[in-house]
Amino acid sequence: MAENILNVNDDSFDEDVLNSDTPVLIDYWAEWCGPCKMIGPMIDQLADENDGKATIGKVNIDEHQQLAVQYNVQSIPTLLLFKGGQVVEQAVGARSQADLQGMLDSHA
């Protein structure tokens, strides 16, 4: 995981995501998920390219099931974009880096 990616958990979610001053893209993933591993390097690159403009974080659904239930994550990878404490956009399944960057750009 890139150093610019937040490892978000139950205790840090409110502060890191809901109370953030910048848009936050959260990748809901699991270690056993093939598509999650496939988009991992792309998520790392998004974090590096958007440093200071947006926050990129990951939630391991095996370790933090309540966060997946709370946001109705039914399949992974699911990427939720939060702004002002609210989900403003979501992507389910593997997406291109351009698609995810477009999500970030439209809510910058």
Side-chain angles (χ1 to χ4, degrees), residues 32-45:
W32 48 264
C33 170
C36 299
K37 289 181 180 182
M38 185 177 76
I39 67 168
M42 178 180 53
I43 299 296
D44 291 347
Q45 189 171 354

Side-chain angles (χ1 to χ4, degrees), residues 18-98:
L18 301 181
N19 297 327
S20 177
D21 293 332
T22 62
V24 181
L25 181 67
I26 297 294
D27 175 17
Y28 287 83
W29 71 287
E31 193 66 44
W32 48 264
C33 170
C36 299
K37 289 181 180 182
M38 185 177 76
I39 67 168
M42 178 180 53
I43 299 296
D44 291 347
Q45 189 171 354
L46 281 171
D48 290 340
E49 292 175 358
N50 291 280
D51 190 30
K53 297 182 285 185
T55 301
I56 311 296
K58 289 182 165 267
V59 170
N60 183 324
I61 65 161
D62 288 335
E63 296 173 1
H64 306 288
Q65 293 175 0
Q66 183 56 37
L67 289 175
V69 170
Q70 182 177 350
Y71 288 97
N72 201 29
V73 174
Q74 297 181 3
S75 63
I76 55 174
T78 291
L79 295 111
L80 299 181
L81 182 61
F82 291 82
K83 186 172 183 182
Q86 301 293 317
V87 176
V88 294
E89 201 164 338
Q90 85 172 30
V92 178
R95 297 291 177 96
S96 72
Q97 186 168 343

